[in-house]
Amino acid sequence: MSTTPPVLAAELAQAWADIQRYHPELPDLAAPESLIGESSSACGAELSFERLLHEAVHGIAAARGVRDTSRAGRYHNRRFLAIAEEMGLDHSEEPHASSGFSLVTLDQEAKRRYRATIERLQRALKAHTAATAADTKRSFRGPAARHGSSGGGVRVKAVCDCGRNVRVVPSVLAQAPIVCGGCMKPFRIPDVAIAAAS
């Protein structure tokens, strides 16, 4: 099995598609690689199927026009919890003081339903972790290394040849290209931003 980030991104996209089979209103995942290396204490720092399903709850809330969080996205309210329960996630009785109902876990039915998906994603995550753990200071990590970002930090503007732009954590962009749907060219961090970060 290849351990390259594009393989992990493909596995994330496939797992998302598996969720969509049971929840057709879930929007498509625009950039699976954006979840790799991303961390959020409110949504769970570790990438897993449980975290992916948590993110899918936010996707369905957005599709329904439901405001499922407050406090800059940190506090997950009862509307979040209601959708989470529809999707096979449980929560302990009381909400957390600062993150609300964010710490959800898979219920038994969801574990059965997504067993093959969970196993496939766990294999890809294990391979990805092994590949990145073998990374040394002598390994080339691309433009993100010049920004000093660990993956959960500040987003910078990345541009493509047709002039569109996105905000992205530099280490995520370094792991695999994010391709513009308009011109089919990869987004890149402009040299001006690189010079400013040096």
Side-chain angles (χ1 to χ4, degrees):
M1 172 189 290
S2 172
T3 59
T4 58
V7 170
L8 179 54
E11 288 296 342
L12 287 166
Q14 182 58 55
W16 192 267
D18 291 349
I19 297 168
Q20 285 178 310
R21 273 200 294 277
Y22 294 98
H23 304 280
E25 69 183 305
L26 178 63
D28 291 339
L29 183 59
E33 54 278 336
S34 67
L35 294 171
I36 303 169
E38 188 73 16
S39 66
S40 166
S41 59
C43 295
E46 185 179 331
L47 186 55
S48 65
F49 181 77
E50 200 166 75
R51 163 98 187 281
L52 192 66
L53 197 56
H54 175 125
E55 296 299 335
V57 172
H58 291 303
I60 286 183
R64 293 179 182 175
V66 172
R67 186 167 179 221
D68 63 340
T69 63
S70 59
R71 300 181 199 163
R74 289 185 306 275
Y75 191 87
H76 293 59
N77 59 34
R78 290 191 185 278
R79 290 181 292 275
F80 171 86
L81 180 59
I83 298 170
E85 288 172 345
E86 286 177 37
M87 297 183 71
L89 292 166
D90 285 330
H91 188 274
S92 59
E93 302 99 33
E94 295 299 316
H96 186 273
S98 63
S99 62
F101 296 100
S102 69
L103 302 175
V104 287
T105 57
L106 287 169
D107 67 20
Q108 291 305 312
E109 182 182 340
K111 286 178 184 176
R112 280 191 301 276
R113 176 185 302 152
Y114 295 113
R115 185 178 54 81
T117 303
I118 293 167
E119 289 171 359
R120 199 177 59 241
L121 186 57
Q122 283 176 334
R123 282 193 301 272
L125 286 165
K126 186 175 180 182
H128 176 72
T129 300
T132 56
D135 197 10
T136 67
K137 289 190 176 200
R138 292 182 46 86
S139 298
F140 178 70
R141 293 188 48 82
R146 294 191 291 268
H147 291 282
S149 174
S150 65
V154 177
R155 287 170 171 75
V156 297
K157 182 165 85 171
V159 298
C160 68
D161 288 349
C162 70
R164 297 177 72 208
N165 66 71
V166 295
R167 303 238 4 107
V168 63
V169 176
S171 62
V172 171
L173 189 61
Q175 290 172 0
I178 298 174
V179 178
C180 171
C183 68
M184 302 310 290
K185 301 280 176 134
F187 284 95
R188 60 183 167 68
I189 298 171
D191 292 336
V192 176
I194 293 170
S198 299

